[in-house]
């Protein structure tokens, strides 16, 4: 297996794969576009990036819109978080989830 096939996929790659736009991953990587940047893009930005097919643009924009408008669910650790009974491992997991969600919120403001 080559380096590329064993590389861990990030949020951008997972997102694009989930909407059947995985072929755009190299284009976004070449343009240095990360997931947070993608969440802030509009149709004009996508076109300047090289995504010229209207259907693909709409698929990406509708999918990012659903991320912005989706209700956030508390992780299972939330019960212990409010009871302040977290060990270091659980606290780390909770912070990772919260940090990721804050990144999405920051992209919408």
């Amino acid at each position: 297996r080559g380096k590329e096939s064993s590389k861990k996929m990030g949020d951008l790659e997972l997102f694009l794969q989930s909407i059947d736009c995985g072929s755009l991953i190299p284009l976004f990587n070449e343009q240095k576009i990360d997931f947070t940047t993608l969440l802030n893009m509009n149709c004009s930005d996508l076109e300047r990036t090289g995504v010229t097919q209207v259907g693909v643009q709409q698929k990406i924009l509708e999918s990012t819109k659903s991320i912005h408008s989706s209700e956030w669910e508390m992780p299972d650790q939330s019960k212990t978080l409010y009871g302040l009974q977290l060990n270091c491992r659980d606290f780390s997991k909770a912070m990772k989830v919260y940090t990721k969600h804050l990144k999405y919120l920051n992209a919408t403001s």
Side-chain angles (χ1 to χ4, degrees):
R1 289 170 52 162
K3 276 187 177 181
E4 221 36 56
S5 63
S6 63
K7 183 180 175 187
K8 182 179 175 188
M9 293 178 68
D11 290 338
L12 175 69
E13 292 84 2
L14 291 171
F15 173 76
L16 290 172
Q17 289 287 0
S18 74
I19 61 170
D20 297 322
C21 290
S23 63
L24 296 174
I25 293 170
L27 176 67
F28 283 102
N29 286 336
E30 180 183 310
Q31 298 288 326
K32 306 279 190 248
I33 294 170
D34 61 13
F35 188 56
T36 303
T37 303
L38 178 62
L39 290 174
N40 288 304
M41 293 178 82
N42 59 34
C43 192
S44 176
D45 296 330
L46 288 172
E47 193 164 337
R48 284 196 320 266
T49 301
V51 181
T52 56
Q53 296 174 317
V54 175
V56 175
Q57 291 173 357
Q58 290 304 312
K59 182 187 282 192
I60 292 171
L61 293 174
E62 285 298 316
S63 298
T64 57
K65 181 180 176 184
S66 73
I67 289 172
H68 290 305
S69 62
S70 67
E71 193 171 317
W72 183 58
E73 294 180 22
M74 295 288 278
D76 290 339
Q77 292 89 1
S78 64
K79 293 175 185 166
T80 54
L81 179 64
Y82 289 120
L84 299 176
Q85 299 172 0
L86 291 176
N87 61 33
C88 187
R89 185 173 146 259
D90 289 341
F91 180 77
S92 178
K93 282 183 183 178
M95 289 295 90
K96 186 175 181 180
V97 170
Y98 297 134
T99 300
K100 191 172 189 177
H101 184 65
L102 287 173
K103 189 185 334 180
Y104 299 148
L105 289 175
N106 186 42
T108 63
S109 25

